[in-house]
Amino acid sequence: MKTVSEQKHGLKLHTQGDQFTIELDGRTLLKHSPQSPCVYVGQGEETMDMYRGNFHIEDYVIERSGLRYAQVTENQTGYEIELKRSPKDESILVMQVVYEKESLRIQFDGDREMYNRFWIRIHADNSERVYGCGQQMSHLNLRGKHFPLWTSEPGVGRNKSTYTTWQADVHDKAGGDYYHTNYPQPTYLSTRKYFCHVETTAYADFDFRNDDFHELQVWEIPEAVLFESGETYKELVGSLTSHLGRQPELPEWTYDGIWLGMQGGTEKVQQKIDEAREKGIKVGAVWAQDWQGKRVTSFGRRLNWDWKWDENEYPDLDVKLKEWKAEGIRLLGYINPYLVNDGTLYKEAVELGYLVRNQADEVYLVDFGEFDCGIVDLTHPEAFQWYKEVIQANLIDFGLDGWMADFGEYLPTDAKLHNQVSAKLMHNAWPMLWAKVNFEAVAESERPDDLVYFMRAGHTGSQKYCHLLWAGDQSVNWDLDDGIASVIPAALSAGLCGNGLHHSDIGGYTSLHGNKRTKELLLRWLEMAAFTSVMRSHEGNRPNENYQYDQEEETMQHFARMTDVHVALAPYLRTLVKENAAEGIPVQRPLFMEYEEDERTYELQYQYMLGEDVLVAPVYEESATSWSVYLPEDEWVHLWSGESYSGGTVEVAAGIGEPPVFYRKGSAFKDTFESIRQHYAWKK
């Protein structure tokens, strides 16, 4: 083979006849020959049925053609590659290969009306590992599986072999699988030290099952595929977030204690605050998600989706929230981008023409589980502005200091939108638009640095607009795919994709098909949450059936102690949050991000680094009293006993309240960690 031209910085393209190879900084990315083309196009017909945010998707591929023949020419910005089915054909697709600012960008020009299926094969080797694809809850290393990328309800159980998932499928069409997620993203990082990001909002499927290549399928010809290499994983994630955006820092008050989830009205919330403080629980905020009222369904206690203060449910809340704030306790609420069809905001939106339409040009009503809602059309500039003003007037000006910005996954694929773009292309973009509404509402307020909102849904671009991610609606059990353990790979995969501030519902949320939260599960979740960006509890969808933090003295003592630990970690956490905002480096990190030379770290998905100095190995099995932990070679100190370790697999005592946590002996925050051990280790 011969080189077309000298290497353009990190880009090198080799070509001979109809063969070409593209390298970036010595890493082969694309290898093409007539016998083994790297790009395919075709046509397909899909069916996409939604039931309460769960999608059943099937595809019938009508045609798939390999673009076997290539003609490469050099231009001022890089190379142009014409791809054809046969030497005599007109070009089907043109690839513009551009190297700019250390990134390789491959743009695609072709007949997007003719071809609605696209496949590209990225060169791989059989020892390679890959990570990312948004927030993935069953797998950290994605090698060996394929991952459809479509924002949806993640499903109950998320494993077709479990009883919970089977029951959810039978009763509600809601049993998920390993790849279902609220937050997909067409991005992956490779252990060959590069990232790949596809610029598309269409349905995609990233297939990592082949030894020699990764095949990325997109249901459109994408705008471009972006590659960038790096010397370290921190450098890679930093570069990725420089392209996609970075989360802002958290407000200072978020480090003051747990955000206690509670409902039931002003008097009940006040009573719970008093009891919590009496027991020594450090309460930084109260999260009263029913501040706008509630309704009861067979699923459990739901909220009234008409986003304004319910004075009957919460009398004098406008006064109380000021009192709580003066005492150091903030009030958080709830909102989502849907309006219940018996509410006042819905009526106003209908009159203004601000709701998504169906094919009959009527308001599209979506079933959210025994009540129907309209969808605010976020592609309509005036509707976008109107809903932003709803948030500003009804939440911010009322006095809330934050809220859950829920949902975003339910845009039906047969909807009609103001911008006239197909809903199949806008569906994945919808959570990002929803995040942007919240972001602008806060940014344009009088206290932008003092407010925070948290989201579960997302896609490309959410990094910039989502203040804080949470892991969604886990089941209240010990299942790996949908229970306590699943939030660990969720945090790590999301962090690698640029969402470095992450947390979960303490105790889980979904209680269905016999699952009920136990005291042990709640306390194990609590101790894990103490070593994350934010601690926030949730009563769950059926509070009366599940164990709660205030049911007995011992549990409240555990909450007091673990909130003390979390607050004591604030100086350390604050530096990690600043680093995430400045450089895109996540707070919770896979071990290989800090110990790249240690092969064992690449398969550990249930341990994580909290920054560069703390290793956390949460207990996620019932009745465990000790726990096996892998420590990379370093000088480690066990947080609770003070015993030193130099690396390898160790077995440590792991009673409730003392999760396996280690810190590096050489840490600049050694005094902080030592103080925690002295003050908060259980007295033997």
Side-chain angles (χ1 to χ4, degrees), residues 449-637:
D449 297 329
D450 198 46
L451 300 169
V452 68
Y453 53 89
F454 45 103
M455 310 186 73
R456 69 177 194 177
H459 198 258
T460 304
S462 289
Q463 294 84 349
K464 178 179 179 180
Y465 299 124
C466 174
H467 281 188
L468 173 66
L469 198 63
W470 106 90
D473 298 342
Q474 275 69 37
S475 290
V476 292
N477 63 21
W478 304 89
D479 288 353
L480 287 179
D481 292 274
D482 195 35
I484 181 174
S486 67
V487 306
I488 306 171
L492 300 182
S493 57
L496 290 171
C497 288
N499 299 273
L501 302 180
H502 191 278
H503 74 299
S504 62
D505 296 335
I506 295 175
Y509 171 77
T510 304
S511 181
L512 292 171
H513 314 301
N515 289 324
K516 295 182 180 180
R517 181 197 295 161
T518 64
K519 173 182 176 181
E520 182 183 2
L521 180 70
L522 178 65
L523 294 182
R524 285 301 191 192
W525 217 307
L526 167 73
E527 66 187 28
M528 174 177 64
F531 296 92
T532 63
S533 303
V534 164
M535 296 182 77
R536 179 181 55 81
S537 68
H538 201 312
E539 292 184 331
N541 66 306
R542 294 180 175 177
N544 295 335
E545 298 179 13
N546 287 278
Y547 192 87
Q548 302 295 342
Y549 77 93
D550 55 353
Q551 282 188 216
E552 56 153 44
E553 177 78 18
E554 184 183 44
T555 301
M556 296 188 80
Q557 287 178 1
H558 275 277
F559 268 73
R561 178 171 167 276
M562 296 316 297
T563 57
D564 279 346
V565 169
H566 184 71
V567 171
L569 278 171
Y572 181 61
L573 291 173
R574 197 176 287 112
T575 65
L576 304 183
V577 171
K578 287 180 181 294
E579 184 180 24
N580 181 68
E583 302 176 36
I585 310 303
V587 172
Q588 290 172 262
R589 309 165 187 175
L591 270 65
F592 66 76
M593 198 171 232
E594 298 293 342
Y595 296 92
E596 297 192 4
E597 303 304 316
D598 189 333
E599 278 294 310
R600 285 283 303 276
T601 63
Y602 289 86
E603 296 298 336
L604 296 175
Q605 70 173 37
Y606 297 123
Q607 297 182 195
Y608 61 90
M609 297 297 299
L610 186 69
E612 65 179 13
D613 291 339
V614 176
L615 186 151
V616 186
V619 175
Y620 54 84
E621 292 178 359
E622 194 172 12
S623 302
T625 57
S626 64
W627 202 247
S628 180
V629 183
Y630 178 74
L631 300 174
E633 186 176 345
D634 210 329
E635 293 186 89
W636 298 100
V637 179

Side-chain angles (χ1 to χ4, degrees), residues 50 52-53 55 305 307 336-342 345-359 362-368 371-380 382-384 386-387 406-419 423 426-427 429-431 433-434 437:
M50 182 181 79
R52 296 179 180 175
F55 285 81
W305 294 15
W307 312 115
N336 66 48
Y338 312 105
L339 302 174
V340 67
N341 65 346
D342 58 8
L345 285 174
Y346 174 87
K347 294 184 177 70
E348 184 178 347
V350 169
E351 292 174 2
L352 293 169
Y354 287 167
L355 299 179
V356 170
R357 316 294 285 185
N358 61 23
Q359 292 300 313
E362 303 165 333
V363 172
Y364 205 127
L365 291 176
V366 178
D367 175 11
F368 278 89
F371 59 92
D372 294 332
C373 294
I375 309 167
V376 179
D377 190 342
L378 302 179
T379 72
H380 191 315
E382 294 178 9
F384 186 101
W386 172 76
Y387 212 52
D406 203 3
F407 288 99
E409 308 92 339
Y410 280 62
L411 182 68
T413 56
D414 58 345
K416 290 173 62 177
L417 302 173
H418 178 81
N419 68 355
M426 290 303 303
H427 175 84
W430 212 251
L433 289 177
W434 172 224
V437 173

Side-chain angles (χ1 to χ4, degrees), residues 47 89 92 121 153 219 297 302 309 348 350 369 389 463 572 624 680:
T47 59
D89 283 348
I92 301 296
R121 291 181 172 181
E153 286 280 1
W219 287 6
T297 71
R302 302 288 297 277
W309 169 36
E348 184 178 347
V350 169
E389 291 171 357
Q463 294 84 349
Y572 181 61
Y680 303 116

Side-chain angles (χ1 to χ4, degrees), residues 82-99:
E82 294 186 55
L83 296 175
K84 309 176 182 182
R85 285 197 185 93
S86 71
K88 296 181 181 180
D89 283 348
E90 296 289 325
S91 64
I92 301 296
L93 197 68
V94 177
M95 298 168 51
Q96 300 287 347
V97 182
V98 180
Y99 184 84

Side-chain angles (χ1 to χ4, degrees), residues 171-218:
H171 293 289
D172 307 305
K173 303 179 185 178
D177 213 331
Y178 71 89
Y179 54 83
H180 286 120
T181 177
N182 309 104
Y183 194 145
Q185 187 173 302
T187 309
Y188 72 85
L189 280 75
S190 165
T191 51
R192 293 173 59 218
K193 297 286 182 69
Y194 74 87
F195 72 74
C196 172
H197 173 70
V198 181
E199 294 183 358
T200 184
T201 58
Y203 179 95
D205 190 331
F206 282 19
D207 190 340
F208 303 110
R209 291 175 291 187
N210 295 283
D211 285 344
D212 301 328
F213 59 84
H214 310 314
E215 184 166 84
L216 316 182
Q217 177 188 175
V218 185

